[in-house]
Amino acid sequence: MHYRRQSAGTDGSCYIQRRQRFASEGLAGRRPGVGDYDGDGISDLAVFDDTTGEWDIRSVAGKLIVWAAQWGWPGAVPVSGDYDGDGISDLAVFDDTTGEWFIRAVAGKRIAWAAQWGWPGAIPVSGDYDGDGISDLAVFNDTTGEWYIRAVGGKRIAWAAQWGWSGVIPVSGDYDGDGISDLAVFNDMTGEWFIRAVAGKRIAWAAQWGWPGAIPVSGDYDGDGISDLAAFNDTTGEWYIRAVGGKRIAWAMQWGWSDVIPVPGDYDGNGKSDLAVFDDAAGSWYIRAVAGKRIVWAVQ
């Protein structure tokens, strides 16, 4: 299995970018992502086919939202987010060969076309970095550890903001509960988290929660409005979750197995992130709440 270092987000979708498979190696395929594509407050089951550029999205209850919606191309990077502030996730892709963004609403309205924000090899890290309720265009330079963020409308939010270094994984999330995404990186060589606000306030420094090779899967697992530190073991399928303040939420919680893709989101609408994995070999989803309630099993 070949993986590409990429970002991890509060909705889990960006982790899929980290794990994207190279088409040139014959490993391209379906990338699951998380978002609320019908505005009902519940995460939907969404898959982007990076061999065709098509999106297939259905609700957990089974309602078809889109089927084979063409928005992208082979090799495009899906970047979930609400880029127009209407409370509905949009279809968005990033061209990591040019640094351009292409975004449209599920209903078809074009939000951005070839919006230039990035460069070849830049890592997209979507989030709401100014607290206006709209996802911003954000990229991370994993050679220098610098962040570059602008609003869809063009306002510059951050330019070459230094937070990270070569090899760390950017992990978008709101780690202090102020409604603004923070700059966060995970060192998957040591399992340490480093987090600061866009304005500069340090939230966490070398917070130990993980191990070499752990997969960061940030989300709000206890429903307090603050993103938690979460790590997934893609060898054993175990989840480890703690609050930024230190409270343990889950330890070695078994949900998954080797090579499944973790896709945490709020799949039952209770305001808490759930444990979710996607089996890309079978195209099946498996989701349960942290408290144990099974939400879906082997849904395709």
Side-chain angles (χ1 to χ4, degrees):
M1 190 74 69
H2 298 267
Y3 303 118
R4 176 179 182 176
R5 181 177 298 279
Q6 263 288 10
S7 64
T10 55
D11 63 4
S13 60
C14 290
Y15 162 71
I16 310 313
Q17 298 156 21
R18 176 177 183 256
R19 186 176 161 143
Q20 64 182 305
R21 303 173 176 188
F22 290 108
S24 62
E25 296 173 346
L27 295 169
R30 296 167 295 191
R31 301 188 204 172
V34 179
D36 177 9
Y37 294 91
D38 57 2
D40 64 354
I42 301 173
S43 297
D44 301 305
L45 312 185
V47 178
F48 175 76
D49 189 332
D50 69 359
T51 65
T52 64
E54 295 177 333
W55 298 69
D56 300 307
I57 307 172
R58 53 154 285 190
S59 70
V60 171
K63 179 184 71 174
L64 186 62
I65 299 170
V66 299
W67 179 260
Q70 185 70 50
W71 193 254
W73 56 89
V77 180
V79 193
S80 295
D82 176 9
Y83 294 91
D84 57 2
D86 64 354
I88 302 174
S89 295
D90 304 303
L91 311 186
V93 294
F94 176 75
D95 187 339
D96 65 357
T97 65
T98 66
E100 294 175 327
W101 298 67
F102 299 80
I103 308 169
R104 56 154 276 200
V106 171
K109 180 185 71 173
R110 181 180 295 181
I111 299 168
W113 179 263
Q116 185 69 51
W117 194 254
W119 56 89
I123 298 174
V125 201
S126 179
D128 179 9
Y129 294 91
D130 57 2
D132 64 354
I134 302 173
S135 297
D136 303 303
L137 312 186
V139 292
F140 177 75
N141 187 331
D142 71 348
T143 299
T144 65
E146 295 173 330
W147 297 68
Y148 299 80
I149 309 170
R150 56 155 276 199
V152 174
K155 181 185 73 173
R156 181 180 294 181
I157 299 168
W159 179 264
Q162 183 70 49
W163 194 255
W165 58 91
S166 178
V168 296
I169 302 169
V171 194
S172 176
D174 176 10
Y175 296 91
D176 57 2
D178 64 354
I180 302 174
S181 296
D182 303 303
L183 311 185
V185 296
F186 176 76
N187 187 341
D188 68 350
M189 300 298 292
T190 65
E192 294 174 325
W193 298 69
F194 300 79
I195 309 170
R196 57 155 275 200
V198 173
K201 180 185 73 173
R202 182 181 292 181
I203 300 168
W205 179 264
Q208 184 69 51
W209 195 255
W211 57 90
I215 306 301
V217 280
S218 179
D220 179 9
Y221 294 90
D222 57 1
D224 65 354
I226 302 174
S227 296
D228 303 304
L229 311 185
F232 177 75
N233 188 329
D234 68 352
T235 298
T236 65
E238 294 173 330
W239 299 66
Y240 299 79
I241 309 169
R242 56 155 274 201
V244 172
K247 180 185 71 173
R248 182 180 293 181
I249 299 168
W251 179 265
M253 190 167 286
Q254 184 70 48
W255 193 255
W257 57 91
S258 178
D259 283 337
V260 295
I261 302 172
V263 199
D266 180 8
Y267 295 92
D268 56 3
N270 69 349
K272 299 179 183 180
S273 295
D274 302 304
L275 312 186
V277 295
F278 177 74
D279 182 348
D280 60 352
S284 301
W285 297 71
Y286 300 80
I287 308 172
R288 56 155 281 193
V290 172
K293 180 185 71 173
R294 181 180 294 181
I295 300 169
V296 302
W297 179 266
V299 169
Q300 291 185 317

